[in-house]
Amino acid sequence: MSKKKTSIRVISSSIHKDFAVFSKSMVNDYHLTKEQVNKIMHVDGELVKRTTTAIVNETGKTKYQSDTISLLIKDKSNPKAIISTINSDKVYLSNQKISLSDEALLYLIHLAGHPKNVFLYILYYLLNEETLEFRTDSLVQHYYMDFCKVTGYKASSSTAMKDAIKKLGEMRLIINVARNRYMMNPIVLGFKNNVVRNSAFTLYAEKLSDKNKNIEEYLLPQINLIKK
């Protein structure tokens, strides 16, 4: 007895699969990293320093969770329709849920190539929404090269991300706060409420003040710098 052929076909894309693999590696290898933590303890009446290893989540989330999406299917009995089903597939796409402000358009319209790609890469994969910070060490640069491969964008050299970070800094989209660590200008971000927004701007202003930088000049869009 022959099996009845189904009239339904799942519509899939190889790029989605590649993204799933890339994003999963970001979850497993980048976001959960090991950090040395020093603790002072009392042992036999003396103070002793003990070093332990803690797991740190770079995005500030308790868990950079996976998600599920409904599968797209095409039914031969209705060839013009493409619908989603209750069946789903697990994905590891970014769950940052970051929105952009109106001012962001002033910057994005002048961004191209790697600076634009690195900016998006930071938003989707690196940025800690509470501290506005992200890191740019060799591991992050390695993943950026993988990000370019997955998206089909040609990375000219291993210094592509470093050069883009320099450009974003010149445009004052970001500021350097420590070795291989930067802070995003909150003027380009959208926030879920004014409490979170005010906290982010205060945090950024404090950091600018600590670095003896003019708050208005480094916070607000400077068209003459953006257009360079």
Side-chain angles (χ1 to χ4, degrees), residues 28-65:
N28 292 337
D29 298 335
Y30 170 71
H31 292 289
L32 298 182
T33 58
K34 292 182 179 180
E35 184 177 87
Q36 297 295 108
V37 178
N38 296 320
K39 292 184 178 180
I40 305 299
M41 306 175 66
H42 287 277
V43 179
D44 297 329
E46 296 183 359
L47 292 176
V48 178
K49 184 172 74 173
R50 293 285 175 84
T51 301
T52 59
T53 301
I55 300 297
V56 178
N57 189 306
E58 281 290 329
T59 60
K61 295 178 173 60
T62 55
K63 184 180 179 184
Y64 197 78
Q65 63 190 14

Side-chain angles (χ1 to χ4, degrees), residues 6 14 19 37 40 42 46-47 50 81-83 90 121 126 141 151 154 156 189 202 212 218-219:
T6 179
S14 59
F19 252 124
V37 178
I40 305 299
H42 287 277
E46 296 183 359
L47 292 176
R50 293 285 175 84
I82 297 177
I83 62 174
K90 179 178 284 189
Y121 173 67
L126 309 180
Q141 294 175 40
T151 56
K154 185 177 180 181
S156 55
L189 302 176
T202 298
N212 296 317
Y218 274 82
L219 176 65

Side-chain angles (χ1 to χ4, degrees), residues 20 64-72 84-95 97:
Y64 197 78
Q65 63 190 14
S66 61
D67 200 358
T68 57
I69 58 172
S70 297
L71 298 175
L72 293 177
S84 59
T85 70
I86 58 174
N87 297 321
S88 59
D89 192 16
K90 179 178 284 189
V91 294
Y92 295 85
L93 300 178
S94 169
N95 65 348
K97 311 299 184 194

Side-chain angles (χ1 to χ4, degrees), residues 13-14 30 82 102 138 155 159-160 193 197 211-212 227:
S13 167
S14 59
Y30 170 71
I82 297 177
D102 292 341
S138 58
T159 63
N193 57 55
R197 187 174 190 270
K211 296 175 73 67
N212 296 317
K227 291 173 65 177

